[in-house]
Amino acid sequence: VRELLLRTAGRRGASKLVQPADFSALLSVRGGVDYIFDSNTLDTGLHGFGAVIDAAINIKGFALEGQFIYDETRNRAWSRRDIRLTYDWIDELIRFEAGDLSVGRRPLQDTPRMAGLAAYREFPINPYRQIRPVSERGFELSAPARVEILVNGVPSKTLALDPGRYNLRDFPLVPSAANELELRVRYIDGRVETLYFSAFTDIDLLEPGLSDFAINVGLPYRDNDGARVYDNGNYNVLGYYRRGITPTFTAGINWEGDRYFDTIGAEATWASPFGSFLLNVATNIREPGPHTGRASLQYSWRDVDPDRGRSIDAQVILTGEDYRTLNQLFGGSLVSFSAQARAGQAFGRSLRAQIFGGYESGEEIGSRTFAGASISRQFDFGNVGLSGEYLRSANDEDAVVVRLSLSVPIGRGAVTGNYSTRDNAARLDYTRLGAVGVGSLGYAAGIERRDDFNRQFARATYLGNRFEASVDASRGQGAGGRRDLRSSLSFGTALVMADGTFAIGRPVSNSFAIVGLNSEAGDYRLAVEPRVSFGGTEKSYNAYSGLLGPAVVPTLTPYFDRSIQVEAPGAPVGTSLGGTVFSVRPGYRTGHKLVVGSGANAAAVGSLQLPDGAPLAFASGTVRRADRASDEEFPPVFTNRTGRFFVEGLEAGETYLLVFTIEGEIFEAQIVLPEEAIGIVRFNELIALANADTMTGD
């Protein structure tokens, strides 16, 4: 059986990856301050200086990270956020945490605030792995044939195949839909055969046999006026386990509890021929029953025809009066019954409509009903949307809310606006994103108003080589004569280190790379990650080296392959600095140390001739040092019709031999580079080859 893959989702080939530094660290700081020009609630002048400090240290994959806050307006100016130690077991896709946990959980579980120990399956550690069931269908050909493959009526690929058995795998499917796969087989003798298959999938499914899990154990905590207070008299436990059973069915169990309750639940996902179902039920096993339980059923269906684009989503949730989760301070639920549904359809490529509705009720809040519809239309100038909603509540009067939205792209920016009849709220703004790269400038301006408030604002952002900054001005007026006129300035920078090399750059999102120059390569400014805007010719760069040290790339995403191209625009042609490309695959909170260039900072150009005076035309040879044995590998050397050659990667002051094999005999030519050679060295006189057996070192 031969495998046929319709699409490839594997990681790019990167056989020469630069590994993360064994020891790296970062300190990112973002700060800001307001200047109040006019206010009837605050004093004028500088006000509200604040800063967010993000720190991390990584030693051989163990990442210690923490975040700290400074806010001069609070009683306790300094406070901290989460501090945790993280380690990723890459082979098994498991993340371990100790400290203030990020809490590995299922979407149906709430996120409690707890500190302790955790281990959970983290599939993004290998973002290129296919964890969903891989769709596959087998077929057999009795003779050579051309096979056209259509997925949901759309041609996907055409293959010319020999007789035999085939397994068609990994074709693109629409989740929550009854996908149709069609194979049109045209044999070499003219026979035509059509094969049909159906396939069902859902984004929440796991490949059969694959498991997903998490376990979090620790103490609950709360933040009290900037201080983190841990509850030593209680504990928290939250976990789940899921496993793919079949290509269309995944099931699991979950648990959360403390000293007062233990809620145990079960879940199941089924991709049926008529839509996807997700069922979840749970109850407190210390007091089992409907009053401590919760049950939810979600349904989703998609039409595979993109011109219709039909979709249906619905969910029903039943909650017992004493049901509770870890993030609840007290037991009990305000909503005991909730049901919602929506359905949408496209009318051509530019118009889409949707209807929606729902009902919820609870002993304390009474009942609430809502229903409405929305429509959006894409015009040549932009997109316009209109929606209307009817609300009926036990505590409030019936209401009808109408909303209007507008989006008009203009160059790299867009004008957006919206209006709602509730509070007569309206907003209109223009936002222009800055181009990617150092020196980019973005700005925005807008107005907003409602019955008891109005505001105007303007904002500009700048992306520097070592920092990012923004400034904005706003004016607000509210009910009771409240007024506020202020300007704000924010600034961000970072200090990073990888294997002993320090650098300053923009704030780091997660992982980073330091790009520096080999001391033997000269003193040139490096420019990292060149970009040219669509339709433009001017280059921009993501980072530069300079007086403050190496360049810093602050935006590496963990576990995604990335190529970092480095140029030295001011370096002569032929040096070791032109067009270097590094392939990296960062880890979690890691740093890379990339060194560009070497002492081999010269190249040679000349013309070779044979001993009889004829040019050495269309030949290929090798390069080696003349004065000592070396394991260095040089690129092969080639000549053109006139014997012209080009050799790069050479060092100043060194002697090299160009070696060619001609009709079984070995010939050599010697070139000597000047002591101060940088870039291309041109040998204007013809260089004669000599037989290696008779050639001397002169």
Side-chain angles (χ1 to χ4, degrees):
V1 178
R2 281 168 279 186
E3 300 286 341
L4 300 176
L5 296 177
L6 278 194
R7 58 180 181 178
T8 55
R11 60 182 54 169
R12 73 178 68 169
S15 58
K16 295 183 179 180
L17 287 172
V18 180
Q19 298 301 317
D22 290 336
F23 179 32
S24 61
L26 67 91
L27 183 68
S28 288
V29 180
R30 288 183 172 90
V33 65
D34 292 346
Y35 188 90
I36 300 177
F37 295 94
D38 182 35
S39 174
N40 56 3
T41 58
L42 297 171
D43 295 334
T44 58
L46 292 175
H47 176 78
F49 174 74
V52 178
I53 302 173
D54 188 19
I57 298 174
N58 189 298
I59 302 177
K60 292 186 176 296
F62 289 87
L64 177 63
E65 59 183 326
Q67 190 177 84
F68 305 88
I69 308 294
Y70 178 82
D71 185 351
E72 69 174 13
T73 64
R74 303 184 62 169
N75 294 331
R76 186 190 298 268
W78 282 100
S79 62
R80 73 170 179 86
R81 294 297 183 260
D82 294 349
I83 297 177
R84 73 173 67 91
L85 179 67
T86 300
Y87 178 78
D88 288 344
W89 186 3
I90 295 176
D91 292 341
E92 297 297 326
L93 308 182
I94 298 176
R95 174 164 293 176
F96 299 94
E97 292 182 352
D100 301 316
L101 304 179
S102 61
V103 184
R105 64 183 182 89
R106 289 282 293 140
L108 53 89
Q109 294 176 308
D110 294 321
T111 306
R113 311 180 76 185
M114 57 191 296
L117 301 173
Y120 55 93
R121 176 68 42 81
E122 181 72 347
F123 289 118
I125 291 176
N126 184 354
Y128 304 98
R129 177 175 177 176
Q130 175 62 263
I131 66 171
R132 313 299 175 202
V134 176
S135 47
E136 59 181 76
R137 287 294 183 270
F139 63 96
E140 185 172 353
L141 299 178
S142 59
R146 182 174 296 276
V147 180
E148 183 181 8
I149 303 166
L150 295 88
V151 180
N152 297 319
V154 178
S156 179
K157 185 175 288 190
T158 300
L159 304 171
L161 303 175
D162 294 324
R165 297 170 59 197
Y166 294 90
N167 191 27
L168 185 63
R169 291 169 50 86
D170 200 20
F171 37 88
L173 299 180
V174 178
S176 309
N179 295 267
E180 295 294 335
L181 178 68
E182 180 181 351
L183 274 63
R184 298 175 182 174
V185 182
R186 182 178 296 275
Y187 288 101
I188 194 171
D189 59 7
R191 289 181 296 124
V192 177
E193 182 180 4
T194 304
L195 306 175
Y196 294 95
F197 306 101
S198 295
F200 315 101
T201 188
D202 187 87
I203 60 174
D204 210 37
L205 292 172
L206 292 175
E207 185 180 278
L210 184 62
S211 61
D212 182 19
F213 69 90
I215 181 67
N216 306 268
V217 181
L219 303 176
Y221 67 81
R222 70 182 189 278
D223 290 324
N224 184 13
D225 192 25
R228 182 151 292 189
V229 180
Y230 296 90
D231 186 356
N232 296 321
N234 199 356
Y235 66 87
N236 280 179
V237 177
L238 183 145
Y240 68 86
Y241 178 84
R242 302 170 62 236
R243 188 175 182 85
I245 309 301
T246 72
T248 60
F249 186 75
T250 295
I253 57 174
N254 52 77
W255 168 37
E256 59 180 308
D258 61 10
R259 61 179 296 186
Y260 304 106
F261 76 98
D262 283 294
T263 297
I264 304 296
E267 63 170 293
T269 301
W270 177 39
S272 77
F274 36 88
S276 296
F277 295 87
L278 174 59
L279 174 66
N280 177 261
V281 293
T283 187
N284 181 4
I285 59 172
R286 299 190 190 184
E287 301 178 48
H291 67 291
T292 65
R294 187 183 192 189
S296 67
L297 177 64
Q298 299 178 28
Y299 172 75
S300 180
W301 175 83
R302 298 289 181 270
D303 192 334
V304 298
D305 187 340
D307 291 330
R308 291 193 302 260
R310 293 173 181 167
S311 64
I312 299 175
D313 296 281
Q315 74 171 11
V316 177
I317 303 175
L318 299 172
T319 307
E321 58 184 7
D322 294 322
Y323 174 78
R324 65 174 300 174
T325 60
L326 287 174
N327 66 336
Q328 287 179 305
L329 295 178
F330 307 100
S333 174
L334 296 177
V335 179
S336 59
F337 176 80
S338 173
Q340 302 173 15
R342 65 182 179 186
Q345 176 169 331
F347 299 90
R349 295 289 183 176
S350 60
L351 182 66
R352 181 170 181 81
Q354 180 175 267
I355 58 173
F356 56 90
Y359 172 83
E360 59 184 27
S361 63
E363 184 174 343
E364 297 184 20
I365 65 170
S367 62
R368 175 177 176 268
T369 305
F370 66 92
S374 65
I375 186 170
S376 62
R377 172 68 188 272
Q378 183 70 45
F379 295 93
D380 292 338
F381 63 83
N383 185 274
V384 177
L386 177 66
S387 68
E389 183 178 8
Y390 169 74
L391 303 169
R392 183 174 185 179
S393 172
N395 301 325
D396 300 323
E397 296 182 358
D398 296 357
V400 175
V401 179
V402 177
R403 299 181 179 90
L404 176 67
S405 64
L406 171 71
S407 177
V408 180
I410 302 176
R412 286 207 305 266
V415 173
T416 59
N418 55 72
Y419 171 77
S420 173
T421 57
R422 174 173 287 182
D423 296 333
N424 285 317
R427 179 185 175 102
L428 181 68
D429 61 61
Y430 172 76
T431 301
R432 181 184 184 274
L433 299 177
V436 178
V438 174
S440 64
L441 180 67
Y443 48 83
I447 57 175
E448 57 181 288
R449 69 163 307 280
R450 56 178 184 263
D451 287 341
D452 59 348
F453 178 79
N454 68 80
R455 176 175 175 262
Q456 305 85 43
F457 68 91
R459 180 183 306 111
T461 59
Y462 178 78
L463 199 68
N465 185 32
R466 311 286 184 180
F467 69 93
E468 59 185 37
S470 68
V471 59
D472 66 75
S474 64
R475 175 181 178 272
Q477 292 179 311
R482 291 185 295 115
R483 66 181 187 276
D484 185 278
L485 176 63
R486 69 177 64 197
S487 181
S488 302
L489 174 67
S490 64
F491 180 87
T493 189
L495 175 65
V496 298
M497 185 277 292
D499 281 345
T501 297
F502 289 82
I504 297 174
R506 297 189 299 276
V508 177
S509 56
N510 188 291
S511 297
F512 64 90
I514 297 176
V515 185
L517 185 65
N518 188 312
S519 59
E520 297 181 357
D523 186 14
Y524 301 101
R525 191 185 195 195
L526 299 178
V528 184
E529 294 192 315
R531 294 179 173 89
V532 178
S533 61
F534 181 76
T537 58
E538 186 176 350
K539 273 187 180 181
S540 63
Y541 294 90
N542 195 19
Y544 294 94
S545 65
L547 294 177
L548 295 180
V552 178
V553 180
T555 54
L556 298 186
T557 303
Y559 302 109
F560 277 89
D561 294 342
R562 180 147 166 189
S563 295
I564 299 177
Q565 182 177 350
V566 185
E567 297 179 354
V573 176
T575 65
S576 60
L577 302 176
T580 304
V581 179
F582 298 95
S583 294
V584 300
R585 186 179 302 148
Y588 182 78
R589 291 287 196 175
T590 58
H592 280 77
K593 179 181 177 180
L594 309 178
V595 180
V596 181
S598 67
N601 224 20
V605 173
S607 297
L608 296 171
Q609 65 179 12
L610 293 167
D612 61 4
L616 180 64
F618 302 121
S620 64
T622 59
V623 182
R624 64 180 176 86
R625 291 182 185 266
D627 58 347
R628 65 177 185 270
S630 174
D631 294 331
E632 291 177 278
E633 292 186 5
F634 294 91
V637 57
F638 300 94
T639 64
N640 66 3
R641 182 186 299 272
T642 64
R644 197 76 168 167
F645 71 88
F646 174 79
V647 180
E648 60 183 343
L650 309 179
E651 291 187 25
E654 293 290 331
T655 301
Y656 295 89
L657 293 178
L658 311 182
V659 184
F660 297 86
T661 301
I662 304 172
E663 296 181 353
E665 293 188 75
I666 299 176
F667 292 84
E668 297 177 346
Q670 179 176 280
I671 57 174
V672 181
L673 271 68
E675 290 292 340
E676 302 299 327
I678 294 178
I680 296 178
V681 178
R682 301 181 185 277
F683 293 87
N684 296 321
E685 297 184 0
L686 293 173
I687 302 173
L689 289 166
N691 192 292
D693 294 333
T694 60
M695 185 175 180
T696 66
D698 297 333

